[in-house]
Amino acid sequence: MGTRDYKAEVINKKHWDEVAPIHGRSYDTETLINGGHHLDDIQVGELGDVSGKTVLHLMCHIGTDTLSFARLGAEVTGIDISCESLKVARELAEKTNLKARFIETPLFDLPNKLDETFDMVYTAIGVLCWVSDLKQWANIISRYLKPGGTLYLMESHPFMQVFDNEAIGLNVRYPYFSQGEPFDWPGNWPDYSDENYIVKSPTREFQWTMGQIFNSLTEAGLNIEFIHEFDFLHWKGLESMEMCEDGFWRLPEPLDKIPVLFSLRAIKG
């Protein structure tokens, strides 16, 4: 299920270093500063009480979700490849008076930087497309979970990724069965959180099927408790999506017949 792509890490680190300051301004940080958190009601319900638990947040970007765990009483560690992302995350921690540890490292080098285990590993949303080796990703998760520890993942649904996100309607454009082959995207496109900013750096991304995700985790010794599928996203993932009263994006009828998001919880045996 893929092999580690070092070139992808170099390309994508440059991308995230570029956009991190933009996201520091465009993301909703006021909610955290004013005493709230960024985990939606579905995540809160599926995660359960995290107070007092140790949590490892993989690929945490600017730390809004990481600090949300701290707000809910967890002892949390966030890791990310981007030094600029973690600079923003540490500044946000100071502004919110929330305690979190942040470690700069490529995901697959984490065992060289951190030697402990956690009650929970958390990863969400929009992270799997940056993972070049799904088997190694799952083994990293297993490595950092205590026996009986929990993985929680919320992610855009792989099926949604086959559609052209620039076209009206549901036009199939990309392969579902990509076999771990990378997709190289050029720069010069609007940032997803600030359309007025044109991203300069390219990215290299990966597509994984639901079967590959499920199998990689079970082969790493995790027992899947549930997979839930949803009809909403936290952002406008497809051109036809419309924002609803609850703040989520959904496809209008008659296109609203497909899953666009899923969540997964697994326990280390």
Side-chain angles (χ1 to χ4, degrees), residues 23-84:
H23 294 174
R25 297 190 293 269
S26 61
Y27 276 30
D28 172 21
T29 58
E30 291 301 313
T31 294
L32 279 168
I33 292 171
N34 293 329
H37 65 80
H38 280 273
L39 301 180
D40 60 66
D41 289 345
I42 290 176
Q43 290 188 73
V44 170
E46 293 183 339
L47 284 163
D49 184 8
V50 300
S51 178
K53 292 186 177 180
T54 56
V55 177
L56 176 64
H57 182 189
L58 302 180
M59 306 165 81
C60 68
H61 191 32
I62 65 168
T64 50
D65 287 349
T66 319
L67 295 171
S68 293
F69 275 95
R71 175 74 71 201
L72 294 172
E75 180 183 334
V76 64
T77 298
I79 74 107
D80 200 87
I81 196 173
S82 166
C83 58
E84 293 300 321

Side-chain angles (χ1 to χ4, degrees), residues 145-151 221-225 264-269:
L145 281 175
K146 297 176 181 178
T150 301
L151 162 69
L222 277 66
N223 300 312
I224 308 297
E225 284 197 313
L264 178 154
R265 193 172 71 196
I267 304 296
K268 182 175 180 179

Side-chain angles (χ1 to χ4, degrees), residues 156-163 176 207-208 210 257-259:
S156 57
H157 200 290
F159 182 61
M160 186 197 78
Q161 306 301 333
V162 306
F163 299 109
Y176 182 74
Q207 160 78 348
W208 302 108
M210 287 293 287
K257 307 298 189 294
I258 66 168

Side-chain angles (χ1 to χ4, degrees), residues 150-194:
T150 301
L151 162 69
Y152 183 82
L153 166 68
M154 179 175 272
E155 183 58 279
S156 57
H157 200 290
F159 182 61
M160 186 197 78
Q161 306 301 333
V162 306
F163 299 109
D164 186 345
N165 63 343
E166 298 176 340
I168 298 296
L170 295 178
N171 298 325
V172 175
R173 182 177 178 182
Y174 305 108
Y176 182 74
F177 302 104
S178 66
Q179 306 301 322
E181 292 297 317
F183 294 86
D184 287 309
W185 305 105
N188 196 36
W189 42 270
D191 181 72
Y192 67 83
S193 73
D194 182 356

Side-chain angles (χ1 to χ4, degrees), residues 223-237:
N223 300 312
I224 308 297
E225 284 197 313
F226 64 69
I227 296 177
H228 294 153
E229 298 169 291
F230 305 98
D231 66 351
F232 70 87
L233 283 178
H234 299 71
W235 74 101
K236 189 176 183 178

